[in-house]
Amino acid sequence: MPENAAALIDATTLVDTGVRFSICTLVTRQEQYSEMLASFRASGFGESDCEFIQIDNRVANRFDAYQGCNLFLTVARGEFIVLCHQDILLIDQRADLERALADLEGRDPSWALCGNSGGMAPGRMAIRLTDPHGTDQRTASFPARVFALDENFIVVRRSANLGLSSDMSGFHLYGADLCIQADVLGRSAYVVDFHLKHLSGGKRDETLTAARDALVAKYRRAFRGRWVKAPCELVFLTGSAWLSRLLGGRLASRIYRRIVGSNV
């Protein structure tokens, strides 16, 4: 047996914390949060293998959603980390969510997060919830692959090691940011068949517009074309197919080295 075998085994056992679900919430209204907790417990999310974590934002917003959710993703011990609003009430049971997660795992082992509402493509949404816009909404077959999720209820797989952008802030579009981060890591996001009631229908205002502009600016920077000099190779990264063919091949790298020097 290798010398480090015992250490590897110990590290593996640390992954299993005995916590199945971590339910994480930013709290501004204690009454709503208490009702949310009661609905979770009534639906089978018991204290024996679930933990409930809150950030107290009742006096002031000490943490925005990006900061708070990153903290949740860091400290939560659950196999699945539930990032949810305080104003939701579960309709389906825990067993329904367990079945949905098992089905998703069987279909796509690379999944990283899922929820009850998200965007599939321009003009196409996958929705499974009750809110002020409608009761018992079901707009797609599930699980449905999406590229952004509504933030009212998101289940994150802890093993996916996701995090939110540290250069973003506020309370909008962090579900989209998480999905983009998952996509960059080679993982996927879905809407699953798990029904709950969201008491808010959401609102569009200037803060949402500002968040949209910030998200666009952030990923324009993140996805910019660039030369990357690794110790043993020079590569050009871009989302453009023709630029990739023009600059990404070995011939282009050799020409570039001749122009700027072999040590670049």
Side-chain angles (χ1 to χ4, degrees):
M1 178 180 291
E3 291 183 2
N4 65 345
L8 288 173
I9 293 170
D10 289 342
T12 301
T13 59
L14 288 175
V15 174
D16 184 5
T17 62
V19 178
R20 180 69 168 169
F21 291 97
S22 299
I23 295 92
C24 305
T25 316
L26 295 167
V27 177
T28 58
R29 298 176 62 181
Q30 186 60 45
E31 182 179 352
Q32 276 192 344
Y33 181 62
S34 296
E35 292 174 352
M36 186 211 83
L37 285 182
S39 81
F40 268 88
R41 290 177 175 132
S43 295
F45 293 85
E47 300 286 353
S48 62
D49 66 345
C50 298
E51 62 179 1
F52 296 87
I53 308 172
Q54 65 164 298
I55 289 177
D56 187 352
N57 272 353
R58 287 177 297 174
V59 176
N61 286 327
R62 298 166 53 240
F63 292 86
D64 67 21
Y66 287 84
Q67 296 169 329
C69 289
N70 266 336
L71 183 57
F72 289 143
L73 293 170
T74 300
V75 304
R77 298 178 299 142
E79 183 179 355
F80 301 108
I81 303 169
V82 179
L83 307 175
C84 61
H85 288 183
Q86 65 189 357
D87 61 343
I88 65 170
L89 300 171
L90 300 193
I91 295 174
D92 280 348
Q93 298 294 301
R94 171 176 171 170
D96 298 308
L97 181 58
E98 294 276 15
R99 279 192 293 270
L101 295 178
D103 178 55
L104 186 54
E105 177 68 19
R107 295 170 183 264
D108 182 1
S110 70
W111 77 275
L113 66 165
C114 63
N116 60 16
S117 177
M120 302 170 68
R124 294 183 62 202
M125 293 288 293
I127 301 173
R128 182 68 183 109
L129 82 161
T130 288
D131 68 5
H133 300 295
T135 299
D136 199 13
Q137 299 173 66
R138 179 192 290 266
T139 61
S141 59
F142 305 106
R145 178 80 184 270
V146 296
F147 297 92
L149 282 169
D150 188 292
E151 295 85 3
N152 78 91
F153 181 85
I154 296 175
V155 180
V156 180
R157 205 174 174 183
R158 182 163 62 96
S159 62
N161 295 313
L162 291 186
L164 286 144
S165 295
S166 61
D167 54 352
M168 293 286 294
S169 62
F171 293 89
H172 294 293
L173 299 178
Y174 58 95
D177 185 57
L178 266 179
C179 292
I180 297 169
Q181 296 288 342
D183 187 49
V184 169
L185 293 174
R187 290 185 172 271
S188 48
Y190 289 85
V191 167
V192 296
D193 189 0
F194 183 69
H195 189 201
L196 59 79
K197 182 176 184 179
H198 186 205
L199 302 180
S200 170
K203 63 179 180 179
R204 300 183 65 90
D205 58 17
E206 65 279 0
T207 62
L208 177 58
T209 302
R212 178 194 176 280
D213 293 344
L215 189 75
V216 169
K218 183 256 162 57
Y219 283 103
R220 183 172 62 241
R221 295 191 302 271
F223 295 152
R224 68 191 182 277
R226 73 196 82 176
W227 287 101
V228 176
K229 178 63 180 78
C232 58
E233 188 55 273
L234 178 68
V235 296
F236 185 77
L237 302 181
T238 176
S240 167
W242 73 269
L243 270 179
S244 181
R245 289 192 296 270
L246 178 66
L247 299 174
R250 291 184 178 182
L251 177 61
S253 297
R254 290 171 185 165
I255 294 172
Y256 183 81
R257 288 193 184 95
R258 289 179 181 178
I259 294 173
V260 301
S262 61
N263 293 325
V264 177

